Amino acid sequence: MIVLPDAAPLLDAAWRIDPALVRRGVPAHVSLLYPFVPEPALTARDQEGLRSLAARFPAADLLLEEVVTASGFVAVAVPGLQPMVDAFRNQWPGLRPYGGRFGARPAAHVTVAMGADDPAAAARVRAAIGGLLPLRTRAAAVQLVALTEEGWQPRFTAPLGVADGS
């Protein structure tokens, strides 16, 4: 994932509308490839692949401008990260993003609300986050996380544009 701390107000706005719509403890981020290799099967080669790909992409200033909605889902598009998302998906072609639920090439995005099945709640979230856009943020590192009994936990971080993690 690419954590985007400056996008946290988007999640906060949705949480104020309905806390059940936001995964607390999960920062505003763009998923590069979810689900990824299960932690017990993760190899040193996978980790090196993550670091190597992160090094190929420079840190990037991003402008978030567009709210995207689907059934029960509200997000903000992050087209500036699409080339990186595509590169990660190409590196692990056997992994289907989101289990194939959103097609072969889902767009890079920050998920703001999930389970917004009530159209009125989804509309309120859309209006609230639309009022916060445009929003500037910076992508600086790739973070590998794993779901544990304590929630999502970081496993390692690879800075963007830095070879060999240095």
Side-chain angles (χ1 to χ4, degrees):
M1 79 166 63
I2 303 280
V3 177
L4 301 175
D6 298 323
L10 302 171
L11 278 61
D12 294 340
W15 185 83
R16 284 191 298 275
I17 291 165
D18 183 349
L21 300 176
V22 180
R23 296 169 293 171
R24 294 313 276 178
V26 178
H29 70 279
V30 172
S31 293
L32 294 168
L33 184 54
Y34 174 82
F36 192 57
V37 176
E39 189 170 25
L42 191 66
T43 66
R45 185 175 177 180
D46 292 322
Q47 290 182 10
E48 180 51 38
L50 287 167
R51 285 186 185 95
S52 176
L53 277 173
R56 285 184 22 207
F57 291 90
D61 293 318
L62 304 165
L63 182 63
L64 309 184
E65 301 179 282
E66 179 187 3
V67 179
V68 206
T69 57
S71 179
F73 174 82
V74 182
V76 173
V78 187
L81 290 180
Q82 192 66 50
M84 188 183 319
V85 169
D86 291 342
F88 275 77
R89 291 175 184 162
N90 290 338
Q91 179 77 20
W92 288 273
L95 301 177
R96 293 175 52 215
Y98 306 101
R101 286 189 319 238
F102 306 108
R105 189 178 179 253
H109 65 277
V110 173
T111 299
V112 177
M114 292 189 329
D117 298 322
D118 173 10
R124 287 194 306 277
V125 169
R126 184 180 175 92
I129 65 174
L132 298 173
L133 301 177
L135 186 144
R136 294 191 183 281
T137 190
R138 183 164 178 80
V142 170
Q143 189 175 75
L144 178 66
V145 297
L147 185 57
T148 70
E149 291 179 8
E150 292 81 37
W152 290 99
Q153 299 294 318
R155 291 302 185 228
F156 75 85
T157 300
L160 294 174
V162 177
D164 298 319
S166 56

